[in-house]
Amino acid sequence: MMAAKTTARAMGLSTFLKSLFSLYLFLTLFSKSSVECFNLDDQFEEELLIKPLNNDFVYAYFQFTTTWDVPFEAKSFQNCHLFPRVLGEVLGQYSVQELHLSLTQGLWRHEKYGYPVVDAPAGTEIWAWFKEGTKDVNKSWKMLTSALSGLFCASLNFVEPHNTLSPTLSFAPTGAVPPGVHSNSSLLRYSTLPREVVCTENLTPWKKLLPCDSKRGLATLLNAGHIYNTNYHSLGIHVRPICKDISCESTAVELKQTVSLVYDMLQVGSLSRDWSFRKLFGQGLSGPCPLASSSRVYVDTTQNGSIFEFQLRPEPKAVLKSIRGGATSKIAMYDLKTMHLVSLLNIAATYTGEKLEHVNISPVLYANRYIIGYGQENGGIVTKVINNHWQPLDIVYMENIPWFLPVYLHTFQAEVNGRQLVPHAINFVPGRERERPYQLEVALRIPARSTTTLSITFDYIFLKWQEYPPDANHGFYVGAAVITSSLPVARNYTGVPHDGSTLLTRSVLIHCLRQIFLNQDKSFENSIIRFCRND
Amino acid sequence: MYFLQIALMVAACCLSNVKTQTTHTNNWAVLVDTSRFWFNYRHVANVLSIYRSVKRLGIPDSQIILMVADDMACNPRNPRPATVFNNANQHINVYGDDVEVDYRGYEVTVENFVRLLTGRLPPGTPRSKQLLTDEGSNVLVYLTGHGGDGFLKFQDSEEITSQELADALEQMWEKRRYHEIFFMIDTCQAASMYEKFYSPNILAVASSLVGEDSLSHHVDPAIGVYIIDRYTYFALDFLEKVEPDSKQSMGEFLKVCPKQVCISTVGVRKDLFPRDPYKTPITDFFGALRPMEFTWAGLNLTEKNAKESALDRRIEKTTKSKMQYVQQFPTELFDDAKSFKL
């Protein structure tokens, strides 16, 4: 064995690397026959949906879907093609069944915007199902969140047992699971970090998971300067196993990366409601990601001609009709794979008609939340759930209260027009100081056309001096309450016509919607202990 | 299973033009902003200036540990979201488009900083939050924030003393976690932080002497606060002219901010550093150029690891059974007769 010891400095390095690279190429080609081929049963789809909302808002939703025909387990991720190996390894290592992570800033105002494709509360929300037979779910959860904190540059390592829940009525697995798993909530972990900020440092690693990074395709539109001046922005990662076929004897892995943006057009640039790629994203689109099997831009034109009128340029090649739950939506489609772009594609909408009065058709179900009480001893949280439907609606309301706000179950009230509602089920896990949060889940049937007031009171307790954050003057944040419901009509519902999943999953999504409402983050100051609205 | 015999032909490259003998094998950077709150915007601009430079000169993000105590780029008070500038005329967006912050917000604590340096991190800490240096590592340590005589404040709520810092560096030396350290600090009375150092191979520079304030450069009326500190402003100015193959030395870099522009006196401590700074290329600390060693030895690239954990096998068994999608909403709860009557 002979070792040649040399020193390569700047000048010779590139020549050397070049020769090394050609050597590598040669070796790769030469040895191709003996190496087991990559499993190429994977595909990548990119979609952008633009939906002009009422009141001069524009909703842009990006969805990048990678599906891969392999079982969801550690072994599969040793050879990756389109699927990001770095994420796959983490999921395989900690025997994750399903993972949902969102990094959000701003408040999704359901009353104004309708329902988003993917709902997310402000800050960070993470929930994961672990596989059956996981030895120590708590440890896997801790390791998973630590690993993800490194992967996404987020403070997910602050997810601890004292802010983790295992809901039993909400957050059923969205993917294909072995029979019986969904009733075992000991495999589910849910946590929120409502104070977490989101900025370019989260977007950078998020983009690196895409097959084309941000070099080609729709991801080139994701420019930090144009994302972070929006009223609402949310990054999401959703991984789940999906059925390969109707029989569902084997599964494939699906990774969905999403970005939701809400622009206030009057703030973004000129004083008109006109929007274009250049105005929204700062640049036009050069073409699809070459690795994508489909690359499409959708513009929701359902309200075009009724509430407002706009002209799309270039003209869409096709207009799709999508019928969900009794509501029809018209969607203009641009297929980037078949378009021959000579210059940058800049889809623009010019509003033509008179600016009509703002007509706001509220969604069927939405909620508001605020803090009540004064003084330094106790207070309460009130959530108002508004049902606009002509029939009663069944909801599951989940509250996630940190340990430093001990709530009293006997003070829980669900009131409609002075009458008390009797919950169908209550699941309450009392918190323990510094160990676990208070978890309250209530199943309720709320009457037609009503406003239901849900309230619960709590105490303020003393913290140790080191438990205050360095900016305690800013207050403490309480995570979002989550309301789950199965809606009878799809009014105000937003969806991509073809969402890159199998048919089976879509049929589930049509009938079931989950809404997560984060209303104002509540905060209290430690010097003068009081609550203030902070939104 | 197959063998890949890699025979690396060593190109006759530049064996002769190595002027200064350097024996480090890798470069790392630990860049820390310890200040929270909007009025400390300048400290974030400081740390990002150095981040930008080391990244531009070739240290990969995986070898840069960036600690930023507050979010300035996406702060609601920032009129230009997702940017941090070094200058009111917006010369350089030091935040950039592909920044990766490793420790942020409440994670920037004295404990985490000392744990990072000494490598005593809790299990499960991701690689991006670890300083995986060895005895061949040249480490650039840059600190900025509010300091006093013998201490540096973290987040306006705790301090690290100069003695604690010196002990942490000594522990690094004992654990062979560095080859050489270039220590930079931009705070008031900055020189007090390196006075207690007693470990070898450390070159230190501070923006001000004990008893002196370190001053900021100028105000940006658009953000309403000072945008960057003097010392780092001129350091960035110098580093912008450095390229990976530049010949500038550490000696030149140490003189980057003379008293008439800095107003404070830049302090330098050379006694622990055995080399002559004028013969030390600046890229020894700010770049990632390093000597390489080639070998003729064979490399065994095995195709598959036959070992499978028991868990994997069990999971494989369960995936064979029929899977299903489950109901997203527990409708069965509402089926019973005692439901609410209108």
Side-chain angles (χ1 to χ4, degrees):
Chain A
M1 202 148 56
M2 165 180 152
K5 209 171 185 181
T6 54
T7 308
R9 287 191 68 88
M11 273 179 58
L13 194 63
S14 59
T15 0
F16 172 70
L17 282 179
K18 265 181 213 157
S19 63
L20 194 68
F21 180 65
S22 47
L23 183 72
Y24 167 74
L25 265 185
F26 169 70
L27 285 173
T28 325
L29 292 172
F30 188 69
S31 56
K32 191 86 183 177
S33 53
S34 63
V35 182
E36 190 187 321
C37 264
F38 284 127
N39 188 354
L40 290 176
D41 302 333
D42 50 356
Q43 58 171 342
F44 171 68
E45 298 182 3
E46 46 176 18
E47 290 151 308
L48 162 63
L49 170 72
I50 297 181
K51 185 183 186 186
L53 305 171
N54 303 330
N55 306 327
D56 307 323
F57 293 107
V58 172
Y59 171 38
Y61 171 74
F62 290 81
Q63 179 172 287
F64 303 90
T65 314
T66 312
T67 42
W68 189 15
D69 276 359
V70 290
F72 196 163
E73 54 194 67
K75 259 198 331 210
S76 308
F77 300 111
Q78 287 174 356
N79 271 325
C80 286
H81 176 232
L82 296 174
F83 196 91
R85 179 173 173 165
V86 59
L87 182 65
E89 276 183 345
V90 169
L91 301 178
Q93 176 71 32
Y94 303 117
S95 50
V96 174
Q97 166 79 24
E98 186 170 323
L99 171 75
H100 301 267
L101 167 68
S102 68
L103 299 160
T104 311
Q105 219 55 174
L107 185 64
W108 183 276
R109 298 178 188 276
H110 292 84
E111 199 181 343
K112 271 191 195 168
Y113 306 160
Y115 299 123
V117 185
V118 188
D119 219 328
T124 298
E125 182 191 56
I126 178 167
W127 56 284
W129 279 88
F130 291 88
K131 291 205 163 90
E132 256 185 322
T134 307
K135 267 186 205 139
D136 187 345
V137 177
N138 286 333
K139 193 179 169 203
S140 296
W141 171 244
K142 180 71 204 154
M143 295 304 231
L144 172 72
T145 49
S146 300
L148 292 175
S149 88
L151 199 53
F152 294 108
C153 295
S155 309
L156 283 167
N157 46 325
F158 285 135
V159 171
E160 299 276 354
H162 73 71
N163 53 24
T164 298
L165 310 175
S166 295
T168 54
L169 305 179
S170 322
F171 299 102
T174 61
V177 290
V181 163
H182 72 287
S183 53
N184 184 1
S185 70
S186 67
L187 297 172
L188 169 64
R189 293 290 180 277
Y190 169 90
S191 186
T192 55
L193 300 170
R195 183 70 212 276
E196 186 71 5
V197 296
V198 186
C199 207
T200 314
E201 66 238 32
N202 305 111
L203 182 67
T204 308
W206 185 94
K207 284 201 285 201
K208 283 182 183 166
L209 301 182
L210 295 170
C212 288
D213 200 324
S214 53
K215 307 282 189 294
R216 298 292 299 275
L218 291 174
T220 52
L221 299 177
L222 297 170
N223 298 311
H226 289 85
I227 288 182
Y228 296 111
N229 64 355
T230 52
N231 283 27
Y232 172 91
H233 54 85
S234 174
L235 290 178
I237 294 273
H238 306 272
V239 197
R240 58 174 188 162
I242 54 171
C243 289
K244 259 188 198 170
D245 45 33
I246 299 284
S247 68
C248 205
E249 267 159 6
S250 52
T251 57
V253 183
E254 182 200 71
L255 162 68
K256 215 181 257 183
Q257 289 182 253
T258 61
V259 184
S260 304
L261 306 167
V262 175
Y263 291 88
D264 182 348
M265 289 319 295
L266 299 187
Q267 269 182 15
V268 163
S270 55
L271 288 172
S272 82
R273 310 174 67 190
D274 299 352
W275 55 263
S276 66
F277 272 15
R278 240 178 266 279
K279 226 161 149 186
L280 297 177
F281 312 117
Q283 64 177 73
L285 185 62
S286 61
C289 163
L291 294 171
S293 59
S294 98
S295 178
R296 287 169 175 181
V297 178
Y298 303 104
V299 181
D300 192 322
T301 55
T302 314
Q303 291 178 318
N304 193 5
S306 58
I307 293 177
F308 41 70
E309 231 178 297
F310 62 80
Q311 193 78 41
L312 278 177
R313 191 162 305 163
E315 289 272 323
K317 286 264 158 52
V319 178
L320 310 175
K321 258 190 185 172
S322 161
I323 302 171
R324 279 178 202 252
T328 313
S329 44
K330 274 193 295 177
I331 290 172
M333 185 187 79
Y334 299 84
D335 191 343
L336 300 177
K337 281 279 176 186
T338 56
M339 285 172 95
H340 298 288
L341 297 173
V342 276
S343 59
L344 292 182
L345 174 66
N346 180 32
I347 297 174
T350 320
Y351 284 76
T352 47
E354 285 275 302
K355 195 174 173 183
L356 300 175
E357 280 296 305
H358 291 317
V359 185
N360 201 12
I361 306 165
S362 304
V364 177
L365 180 75
Y366 61 95
N368 285 310
R369 212 149 98 99
Y370 53 89
I371 290 272
I372 52 166
Y374 53 87
Q376 301 179 10
E377 286 168 36
N378 45 45
I381 298 181
V382 174
T383 307
K384 287 199 165 169
V385 185
I386 294 118
N387 176 7
N388 277 330
H389 195 49
W390 58 275
Q391 272 185 325
L393 281 179
D394 295 340
I395 62 162
V396 170
Y397 163 80
M398 191 191 90
E399 213 28 294
N400 164 18
I401 310 261
W403 60 263
F404 51 80
L405 289 180
V407 294
Y408 295 102
L409 182 61
H410 75 272
T411 64
F412 176 78
Q413 284 191 330
E415 202 182 278
V416 177
N417 303 329
R419 277 182 311 154
Q420 296 293 325
L421 286 184
V422 183
H424 288 247
I426 289 188
N427 168 31
F428 180 66
V429 181
R432 220 180 280 142
E433 268 182 35
R434 296 173 183 84
E435 279 175 32
R436 101 184 156 203
Y438 291 80
Q439 172 186 332
L440 173 66
E441 283 180 289
V442 184
L444 279 172
R445 175 164 292 173
I446 54 172
R449 299 191 194 287
S450 68
T451 300
T452 310
T453 309
L454 309 170
S455 61
I456 192 159
T457 63
F458 56 77
D459 279 349
Y460 295 107
I461 60 168
F462 287 112
L463 297 183
K464 295 175 185 165
W465 69 274
Q466 277 191 319
E467 285 168 344
Y468 289 100
D471 56 350
N473 59 309
H474 207 279
F476 291 80
Y477 285 62
V478 174
V482 180
I483 294 170
T484 311
S485 182
S486 174
L487 295 184
V489 288
R491 199 169 81 205
N492 299 57
Y493 175 72
T494 311
V496 181
H498 168 63
D499 60 3
S501 318
T502 59
L503 269 172
L504 273 171
T505 29
R506 262 203 294 165
S507 70
V508 171
L509 284 173
I510 290 168
H511 303 297
C512 301
L513 280 173
R514 198 187 80 242
Q515 286 97 43
I516 301 170
F517 297 104
L518 173 85
N519 301 295
Q520 297 80 26
D521 286 323
K522 307 302 182 300
S523 61
F524 68 81
E525 297 185 350
N526 75 323
S527 45
I528 342 148
I529 297 183
R530 68 183 168 82
F531 271 96
C532 57
R533 278 182 68 135
N534 176 25
D535 53 339
Chain B
M1 196 150 120
Y2 67 101
F3 287 91
L4 198 64
Q5 193 77 27
I6 297 182
L8 298 179
M9 297 302 291
V10 180
C13 57
C14 56
L15 295 179
S16 52
N17 66 357
V18 181
K19 287 189 196 103
T20 316
Q21 194 53 48
T22 164
T23 48
H24 73 284
T25 55
N26 55 73
N27 280 82
W28 285 74
V30 180
L31 313 175
V32 190
D33 149 59
T34 65
S35 298
R36 177 170 278 279
F37 302 116
W38 178 248
F39 55 84
N40 293 320
Y41 181 99
R42 61 185 185 280
H43 295 150
V44 175
N46 287 349
V47 79
L48 290 171
S49 298
I50 304 298
Y51 172 76
R52 171 194 160 81
S53 302
V54 294
K55 203 167 160 179
R56 192 175 59 80
L57 291 172
I59 304 186
D61 252 323
S62 54
Q63 279 165 233
I64 305 174
I65 310 290
L66 179 60
M67 301 174 99
V68 181
D70 203 353
D71 167 46
M72 297 304 168
C74 288
N75 197 302
R77 295 192 202 188
N78 192 343
R80 302 173 290 248
T83 59
V84 173
F85 286 102
N86 76 320
N87 186 302
N89 296 326
Q90 299 161 37
H91 280 165
I92 303 170
N93 175 12
V94 289
Y95 189 64
D97 288 328
D98 57 348
V99 60
E100 288 186 19
V101 181
D102 301 302
Y103 287 81
R104 64 176 191 176
Y106 299 146
E107 291 173 82
V108 183
T109 58
V110 173
E111 181 182 338
N112 281 350
F113 176 59
V114 174
R115 282 185 181 281
L116 174 83
L117 291 181
T118 55
R120 298 168 69 166
L121 290 153
T125 306
R127 281 183 79 90
S128 66
K129 293 186 176 185
Q130 296 184 34
L131 186 66
L132 296 167
T133 52
D134 53 35
E135 57 202 332
S137 305
N138 269 15
V139 187
L140 166 72
V141 180
Y142 176 86
L143 303 175
T144 183
H146 288 284
D149 189 358
F151 68 90
L152 172 67
K153 285 211 292 182
F154 269 66
Q155 304 248 9
D156 271 2
S157 69
E158 52 178 351
E159 300 90 33
I160 185 168
T161 63
S162 53
Q163 188 63 53
E164 283 161 350
L165 185 61
D167 290 344
L169 295 181
E170 173 62 15
Q171 204 179 114
M172 281 179 81
W173 175 250
E174 284 167 1
K175 289 178 166 174
R176 302 188 172 199
R177 284 174 62 78
Y178 73 82
H179 174 251
E180 284 170 335
I181 285 181
F182 179 50
F183 179 82
M184 278 176 85
I185 180 161
D186 189 347
T187 79
C188 295
Q189 317 211 30
S192 66
M193 287 305 284
Y194 65 56
E195 276 176 351
K196 294 272 168 55
F197 289 177
Y198 54 97
S199 317
N201 296 356
I202 300 178
L203 180 64
V205 63
S207 63
S208 54
L209 297 179
V210 177
E212 274 183 349
D213 281 345
S214 194
L215 296 149
S216 57
H217 195 263
H218 65 280
V219 175
D220 180 359
I223 61 169
V225 291
Y226 292 97
I227 197 157
I228 198 166
D229 281 328
R230 272 171 188 272
Y231 178 72
T232 307
Y233 182 83
F234 290 105
L236 175 65
D237 198 41
F238 181 88
L239 289 169
E240 281 297 301
K241 291 171 202 135
V242 178
E243 294 298 328
D245 55 354
S246 299
K247 298 279 179 284
Q248 280 104 326
S249 69
M250 289 306 291
E252 288 167 65
F253 181 73
L254 296 178
K255 292 195 305 185
V256 70
C257 198
K259 184 144 191 187
Q260 68 268 26
V261 293
C262 238
I263 304 177
S264 58
T265 320
V266 173
V268 179
R269 184 163 174 200
K270 296 184 220 172
D271 59 322
L272 297 168
F273 195 68
R275 288 200 279 162
D276 179 0
Y278 279 98
K279 287 182 181 159
T280 308
I282 190 162
T283 48
D284 274 10
F285 291 102
F286 285 89
L289 300 176
R290 52 183 181 267
M292 288 171 116
E293 205 170 282
F294 302 114
T295 174
W296 290 93
L299 189 60
N300 182 6
L301 299 177
T302 41
E303 221 178 82
K304 245 180 199 169
N305 193 354
K307 264 200 289 179
E308 269 179 50
S309 70
L311 183 67
D312 276 353
R313 272 201 294 278
R314 193 158 63 240
I315 286 163
E316 198 172 13
K317 229 167 79 187
T318 55
T319 49
K320 287 285 184 308
S321 65
K322 196 170 157 68
M323 310 282 269
Q324 62 186 39
Y325 289 107
V326 297
Q327 218 178 7
Q328 299 288 297
F329 187 72
T331 41
E332 69 278 2
L333 287 175
F334 299 91
D335 291 342
D336 55 350
K338 59 170 184 171
S339 62
F340 175 78
K341 290 182 204 78
L342 269 172

